[in-house]
Amino acid sequence: MLGEGGFGTVYLAEQTEPHRRVALKVLRAGLESRQVIGRFEGERQALSLMDHPNIAKVLDAGETRDGRPYFAMEYVPGESMTAYCDAHRLTITDRLMLFGQVCDAVQHAHTKGIIHRDLKPGNVLVTSVEGRPSAKVIDFGIAKATGGQLTAKGVFTEHRQLIGTPEYMSPEQAEGSADIDTRTDVYSLGVLLYELLIGVTPFDAERLRSAAYAEIHRIIREVDPPRPSTRLSTVDAASVAHHRGTRPDRLGTQIKGELDWIVMKCLEKDRNRRYSSPGALADDLARHLAGRPVVAAPPGVWYRARKFASRHTAAVTASAALLLALGSGLAFAVAARNEAMRGQRAEAAARADAQRERHAAEEEAAKSRAALRFIESMFASLDPNTAKGRDVTVAEMLDPAVNQIADAFAGRPVPESMVRSVMGQAYFHLGQYPQAQRELERALELRRGAGVKDDAETWTLLHNLGAARIEQDQLDLAGESLDAALSGRRAGLGEEHRDTLATRGLLAYLRQLRGDLEGAVADFRELAAVQGRVLGRTDKDTIDSLLSVADGLEDLGQLDDALHISRDAAERAETALGPESGAALTARSIEGETLSTLGRKDEAAAVFTRVVASKERVYGPDHPSTLVTLDMLASVLGSQMKDDESIALHRRVVERAVAGLGERHRATLSYMNNLAQALRHAGRLDEAEPIYRRVVELDREVKGPLDTSTLIGQSNFALLLNAKGDHEESLELLTAALAGFKQTLPEGHWIIGTAGVNLAEPLISLKRWEEAERLLLESHVILANALGPAHPRAGHCRAALVRVYEGWGKPDDAARWKQTPEGSKNTSGPG
């Protein structure tokens, strides 16, 4: 017997064919409950999905004669990770490199949809291979299948039942939550790293194991552990240092600072503040080892400001979106501030000018105090005595604060710039793009006025300003900002830095908006490949680029590929980031749109309904992202002949878009077109006509006459005119639209086929049968090739051909085109 766990006993065994030693795990007698068997089978299936040199392989599986499941896995004759490291006196650097193998293995498991949930030294065995340590992660016995149930018998975490090892357990796992994602393993990896550094876990093991459930839960959820360098003073530092091949003072110096920050980022109570994945953790450790700046940063003034806000949320509710925006913005400000501080300290030390160093430190402290006072004043409205029981709106927090910034930071342009940058990002995340652009432009102006023109914060401001300008349809100005940001980031950060890649993504999106769909898709494909290699397959930026590929392919009519990629991206996002993350919701929206285009309306409606509900919870009902999906749902309802519901939703979207974005915004014009479409399909032509005319007029002014959406709006208006009897004007507009599509879209695009079907309508009304026949036959070839002969658009084309032949007096030809799609594969037309 090699070992015994909660559910199984592990034996050393020999397999006769092929002949080899294996570790044989058998379910313990007396534990054949449905739940336990489910967990055991889950382990076997989880392991069988994975193929990684640092994960023990499953070799065989079956049942004993008395029906107990077993499986044979690769035998690893190693020691636990901590025991091996101590026995071989591995240095901190060697331990970090070995730990990187574990991160890679767990990252691989996550890509297969598997969360370990019990990472600890005993489940990471280490052996020497050619004189070098090699780690193997074992015992996925309580792994959770993030992509769905691993076994039909099920794996459940019952209320108040701890599954895992308390000292390595994340806060969300400790409370028995069913909402466990990959970041729970990041927490456990942080505990393991903590122990590798100083020999003990963040919380005392004996205390946790002897405590009642409620006390274990309280400690893990509420108590902040000390940093490793701080905890070092409470242990036998001489012994710990000896096992790491160094002296106590040197060990403390090695750990204090960046390694402290990295560990504590893993151990954040709020999983949104942890590393997004084991791969991201490994990347930051690699940066530390290479002497480059790490992503993790010490909690400073901005962190304290957020803690201040959290202390004032019990009695008064503020906008969650604001806090998210502040979180992302302030994190950037922290990094920029610390970069500046490091530069100032280095300069002072190089010149041996102690007075200058003291002055810089005092100045930085003054900036921090001023910024903290300002942020605290923002959140003063959250005080119950001030709010007096009412909910505090975003406007009541942001808008007055913005008006006070200039006075609060008079004569101090750099801290004012930092705060305005945060405000700009807050407005952007709330969908208030003009306000975002105003604050970001002012922040950039302040930095340049202070002589700060070429640093990381300036490049970030340029990037964010480019995004805000895109949302304001200022595409040329956006291009200037993004080109400048990319140039600076490439020179200062490198070609494959996350921020550089992010700016490349925005430039690819700008290319898409300018109409170069194929070029944009190519850019996004290349970007996704680089991000997948550098950042990881489940990193948010990688997923966002994949979504852009899917969106572009949908526009290009490559629908099967678009559907496959959107679903793949959705699964990655839901696994790594959560089912209501922005990336997951965007992926599902693209999936729904593609399903709708493919004619699978019921599936599309179900997807959109779920996404709308989530977006209204996460962003609010008026956010631009919510309106996009609500409009898609309204269109699908219309295609299901639910006209009243569809029109009511379309009107709601248009009203909110006009109020929030303005009538001339691209999105608003699309929503207005869709409302007019819904009215036309419901037969309410007089209501639809003025809306169509306004859309066509503004589209031509704002987007240009050859923009795809301009041509679509023009086509829809022309079909309305035809329905009202104005066949000649309809024919003129549809002829111009088809020519425009052929000029701007690739040959064979399904939109060209649809435009041909539309143009046939006034020809049919004018009884110009021969012209209509030729046009519809050409269009059917395009639609059948692009979408398949069974697609509803191809069916609509065949129905139009039937009307042509019936009106033309050719009943045999009409009968031929009434056949099923299989009978219509002769796309050359009737003989």
Side-chain angles (χ1 to χ4, degrees):
M1 188 172 71
L2 296 173
E4 193 168 16
F7 302 112
T9 305
V10 184
Y11 300 93
L12 177 63
E14 283 192 353
Q15 187 176 12
T16 54
E17 209 166 299
H19 190 269
R20 57 188 170 188
R21 285 189 164 190
V22 299
L24 190 72
K25 186 164 186 176
V26 185
L27 185 66
R28 285 173 52 194
L31 290 179
E32 295 89 345
S33 73
R34 181 183 182 86
Q35 184 186 42
V36 173
I37 292 174
R39 289 199 188 115
F40 196 83
E41 290 187 358
E43 177 175 9
R44 174 170 58 82
Q45 293 183 36
L47 286 169
S48 67
L49 292 173
M50 293 177 283
D51 182 17
H52 191 278
N54 298 112
I55 296 177
K57 294 182 176 63
V58 168
L59 305 173
D60 198 2
E63 288 186 354
T64 65
R65 291 178 180 176
D66 57 355
R68 287 185 292 154
Y70 73 83
F71 67 88
M73 58 186 284
E74 176 185 359
Y75 171 55
V76 183
E79 301 175 79
S80 76
M81 189 172 191
T82 49
Y84 180 96
C85 290
D86 286 354
H88 291 79
R89 295 186 64 197
L90 293 192
T91 65
I92 293 296
T93 298
D94 289 339
R95 289 169 186 246
L96 294 179
M97 294 177 69
L98 181 62
F99 182 74
Q101 296 179 21
V102 180
C103 291
D104 288 343
V106 179
Q107 180 71 38
H108 174 78
H110 288 179
T111 65
K112 300 297 184 181
I114 305 302
I115 303 171
H116 192 289
R117 295 205 298 174
D118 196 23
L119 289 167
K120 57 187 177 183
N123 284 338
V124 182
L125 301 182
V126 182
T127 58
S128 294
V129 178
E130 297 180 353
R132 304 185 66 178
S134 176
K136 290 275 188 182
V137 181
I138 65 169
D139 201 357
F140 280 77
I142 56 173
K144 176 186 178 184
T146 60
Q149 203 167 269
L150 279 175
T151 171
K153 295 179 181 177
V155 180
F156 300 98
T157 301
E158 295 178 357
H159 180 57
R160 301 183 69 84
Q161 178 181 343
L162 285 177
I163 292 190
T165 307
E167 54 264 44
Y168 299 90
M169 190 178 294
S170 68
E172 61 270 23
Q173 190 177 356
E175 68 178 4
S177 171
D179 181 22
I180 299 294
D181 62 27
T182 54
R183 290 168 292 182
T184 201
D185 279 351
V186 172
Y187 183 95
S188 300
L189 286 168
V191 178
L192 178 56
L193 179 57
Y194 196 111
E195 191 171 4
L196 286 171
L197 294 176
I198 65 168
V200 294
T201 54
F203 298 117
D204 182 71
E206 287 188 13
R207 179 187 176 192
L208 282 180
R209 290 176 180 272
S210 62
Y213 176 88
E215 178 63 7
I216 295 174
H217 176 267
R218 186 195 69 79
I219 293 171
I220 297 174
R221 289 285 300 172
E222 299 178 14
V223 178
D224 289 323
R227 294 182 180 187
S229 61
T230 303
R231 184 74 183 281
L232 188 60
S233 63
T234 68
V235 300
D236 184 351
S239 175
V240 172
H242 170 77
H243 286 109
R244 286 148 185 80
T246 187
R247 301 198 310 261
D249 57 335
R250 289 184 177 177
L251 178 61
T253 301
Q254 277 186 283
I255 295 172
K256 189 173 184 179
E258 290 184 346
L259 289 178
D260 272 338
W261 305 342
I262 289 170
V263 169
M264 300 311 288
K265 184 174 178 67
C266 295
L267 300 182
E268 285 282 358
K269 306 296 186 188
D270 178 359
R271 59 184 168 184
N272 292 315
R273 290 181 58 85
R274 296 177 206 152
Y275 291 102
S276 62
S277 67
L281 166 59
D283 289 344
D284 221 15
L285 286 171
R287 280 187 281 271
H288 166 75
L289 290 171
R292 293 184 284 122
V294 299
V295 170
V301 60
W302 304 108
Y303 178 78
R304 293 197 301 275
R306 292 189 71 220
K307 296 289 271 189
F308 173 87
S310 70
R311 289 196 300 271
H312 292 76
T313 56
V316 184
T317 302
S319 168
L322 169 62
L323 294 179
L324 283 172
L326 287 173
S328 60
L330 296 174
F332 147 70
V334 168
R337 180 174 64 85
N338 286 323
E339 187 75 21
M341 289 177 66
R342 282 194 291 270
Q344 290 173 4
R345 287 197 297 267
E347 183 180 353
R351 298 183 180 183
D353 188 348
Q355 183 176 359
R356 181 183 178 89
E357 184 175 3
R358 283 194 301 274
H359 175 73
E362 290 168 0
E363 182 180 359
E364 190 61 42
K367 291 177 186 177
S368 297
R369 285 193 297 270
L372 179 58
R373 283 195 301 271
F374 183 80
I375 296 296
E376 287 180 340
S377 71
M378 272 185 62
F379 287 103
S381 58
L382 292 175
D383 191 290
N385 295 321
T386 303
K388 300 189 184 303
R390 61 187 177 83
D391 287 349
V392 178
T393 67
V394 175
E396 288 176 302
M397 296 179 64
L398 271 183
D399 296 343
V402 166
N403 295 331
Q404 298 167 15
I405 291 177
D407 291 339
F409 294 97
R412 289 171 289 181
V414 174
E416 180 180 349
S417 169
M418 292 166 63
V419 171
R420 287 193 184 275
S421 174
V422 171
M423 295 297 184
Q425 290 179 77
Y427 277 124
F428 184 92
H429 287 297
L430 292 168
Q432 299 182 23
Y433 303 121
Q435 296 92 324
Q437 182 175 341
R438 179 194 68 207
E439 295 307 312
L440 293 169
E441 286 177 343
R442 180 58 180 151
L444 188 62
E445 180 184 337
L446 285 165
R447 291 189 69 76
R448 287 174 171 170
V452 184
K453 299 180 180 180
D454 196 26
D455 66 342
E457 185 174 349
T458 301
W459 305 328
T460 300
L461 271 171
L462 286 165
H463 174 96
N464 293 339
L465 180 57
R469 285 172 167 171
I470 284 176
E471 295 297 339
Q472 290 294 101
D473 289 328
Q474 300 171 11
L475 301 189
D476 291 339
L477 287 174
E480 293 176 9
S481 299
L482 293 172
D483 285 339
L486 183 62
S487 176
R489 284 177 161 179
R490 275 177 167 160
L493 303 176
E495 186 67 44
E496 294 188 344
H497 190 278
R498 177 187 292 275
D499 293 346
T500 307
L501 297 175
T503 303
R504 284 180 57 188
L506 265 185
L507 281 166
Y509 177 53
L510 188 62
R511 189 173 185 178
Q512 179 179 349
L513 291 177
R514 285 171 167 164
D516 184 4
L517 295 179
E518 289 185 321
V521 168
D523 286 349
F524 280 124
R525 282 191 188 276
E526 180 183 349
L527 184 61
V530 175
Q531 289 169 323
R533 174 171 53 81
V534 175
L535 306 177
R537 293 179 72 255
T538 57
D539 184 86
K540 181 184 180 300
D541 290 355
T542 306
I543 294 169
D544 284 344
S545 294
L546 280 177
L547 292 176
S548 297
V549 173
D551 188 43
L553 291 175
E554 203 272 338
D555 286 341
L556 290 169
Q558 299 176 34
L559 302 179
D560 288 337
D561 287 344
L563 182 61
H564 172 75
I565 292 173
S566 65
R567 284 177 166 170
D568 175 46
E571 290 168 2
R572 295 192 200 186
E574 289 168 355
T575 296
L577 307 173
E580 289 196 336
S581 63
L585 295 176
T586 301
R588 292 302 180 193
S589 294
I590 295 173
E591 176 192 0
E593 186 175 8
T594 309
L595 286 168
S596 178
T597 306
L598 284 166
R600 295 157 63 175
K601 304 296 184 180
D602 290 345
E603 294 176 71
V607 170
F608 285 142
T609 299
R610 290 195 299 270
V611 174
V612 165
S614 293
K615 284 190 173 183
E616 287 183 338
R617 281 195 300 271
V618 175
Y619 303 131
D622 298 330
H623 193 279
S625 180
T626 305
L627 297 184
V628 169
T629 312
L630 191 62
D631 185 70
M632 292 176 179
L633 175 58
S635 295
V636 172
L637 291 174
S639 69
Q640 294 177 307
M641 308 303 291
K642 300 176 181 178
D643 292 331
D644 291 342
E645 293 179 62
S646 174
I647 291 169
L649 281 185
H650 279 304
R651 286 196 190 281
R652 189 189 312 171
V653 170
V654 169
E655 289 167 2
R656 292 176 178 177
V658 169
L661 302 173
E663 187 187 33
R664 298 172 64 87
H665 194 277
R666 283 174 171 262
T668 306
L669 291 173
S670 295
Y671 301 147
M672 290 169 65
N673 171 77
N674 294 343
L675 170 59
Q677 280 282 83
L679 290 166
R680 177 170 70 86
H681 288 307
R684 296 157 64 172
L685 305 184
D686 290 338
E687 291 180 68
E689 182 172 359
I691 301 174
Y692 271 135
R693 289 192 181 276
R694 182 61 173 162
V695 169
V696 170
E697 175 190 354
L698 292 177
D699 269 345
R700 288 172 175 169
E701 291 179 14
V702 174
K703 306 174 186 177
L706 290 180
D707 184 89
T708 299
S709 58
T710 299
L711 296 173
I712 289 173
Q714 178 177 315
S715 300
N716 293 334
F717 176 45
L719 290 172
L720 172 83
L721 293 175
N722 187 64
K724 295 189 72 173
D726 193 348
H727 308 310
E728 293 294 344
E729 185 179 357
S730 174
L731 182 63
E732 180 182 346
L733 289 173
L734 288 169
T735 300
L738 178 57
F741 286 130
K742 286 183 175 179
Q743 182 177 338
T744 57
L745 295 177
E747 184 178 357
H749 194 289
W750 65 267
I751 288 181
I752 296 175
T754 299
V757 176
N758 290 341
L759 178 54
E761 289 299 324
L763 292 173
I764 293 172
S765 299
L766 293 168
K767 299 183 180 181
R768 292 161 61 169
W769 310 120
E770 189 172 352
E771 294 174 70
E773 178 198 36
R774 184 180 68 253
L775 187 61
L776 289 168
L777 291 176
E778 292 173 356
S779 298
H780 191 265
V781 171
I782 294 172
L783 293 170
N785 288 339
L787 305 177
H791 192 278
R793 293 184 186 276
H796 181 63
C797 183
R798 290 192 296 275
L801 274 165
V802 169
R803 286 190 288 124
V804 167
Y805 290 125
E806 288 178 343
W808 201 356
K810 296 185 175 184
D812 292 341
D813 290 336
R816 184 174 181 179
W817 283 95
K818 285 181 180 177
Q819 294 176 4
T820 61
E822 287 73 17
S824 66
K825 288 181 180 177
N826 178 9
T827 53
S828 62

